Amino acid sequence: MSMASSQSHLAAVLQTHPTSLRLWTIAIAIECAKGRVREARWMYKEALKSIPLSSSLWTQYLKFEVDQLDITRQPPSEEQKSCLLDIVSQAGKLGVTMELIERLLMTS
């Protein structure tokens, strides 16, 4: 089975099982492995629409966004910090607890 065929199959399975954290994680990992940041970001947002109360998914998404920062070259911009805090805030509005991560972000 080709990679394109595998991705097409995975997309079809996700439509059938949109609340499967494992399937979303696999699909996102494929996009990340290909260096397709924009697509991975979109997939995280779609996954969170389907599984909004998954603290694991929110944490993975936040880690993904943090990984996109190159803090060895320059500190995060206000826009980047705002994006990260927005993720924590959105999760919090849904009752997903990410207090430790929020504290880490506020101190960095």
Side-chain angles (χ1 to χ4, degrees):
M1 185 180 292
S2 73
M3 180 62 105
S5 177
S6 295
Q7 286 178 297
S8 176
H9 182 68
L10 183 56
V13 173
L14 273 170
Q15 286 182 340
T16 306
H17 304 286
T19 60
S20 172
L21 178 58
R22 178 172 273 185
L23 290 175
W24 280 111
T25 302
I26 291 167
I28 293 166
I30 290 170
E31 295 304 323
C32 289
K34 291 176 143 189
R36 296 169 43 141
V37 173
R38 183 176 294 153
E39 289 80 359
R41 183 174 285 122
W42 178 84
M43 291 189 91
Y44 270 115
K45 290 176 182 180
E46 290 300 306
L48 287 163
K49 288 177 188 175
S50 296
I51 321 169
L53 300 179
S54 172
S55 60
S56 173
L57 186 58
W58 280 104
T59 302
Q60 289 173 39
Y61 178 41
L62 183 62
K63 182 179 180 325
F64 166 80
E65 290 294 352
V66 168
D67 288 346
Q68 301 314 304
L69 302 176
D70 187 357
I71 59 173
T72 59
R73 297 182 68 199
Q74 63 185 15
S77 69
E78 289 305 312
E79 182 180 339
Q80 291 166 323
K81 285 182 184 178
S82 177
C83 173
L84 298 174
L85 290 171
D86 188 48
I87 293 168
V88 174
S89 174
Q90 287 179 40
K93 287 176 185 175
L94 294 166
V96 178
T97 305
M98 299 175 69
E99 293 169 11
L100 175 61
I101 295 170
E102 186 173 22
R103 274 188 266 139
L104 291 172
L105 285 174
M106 296 304 271
T107 59
S108 57

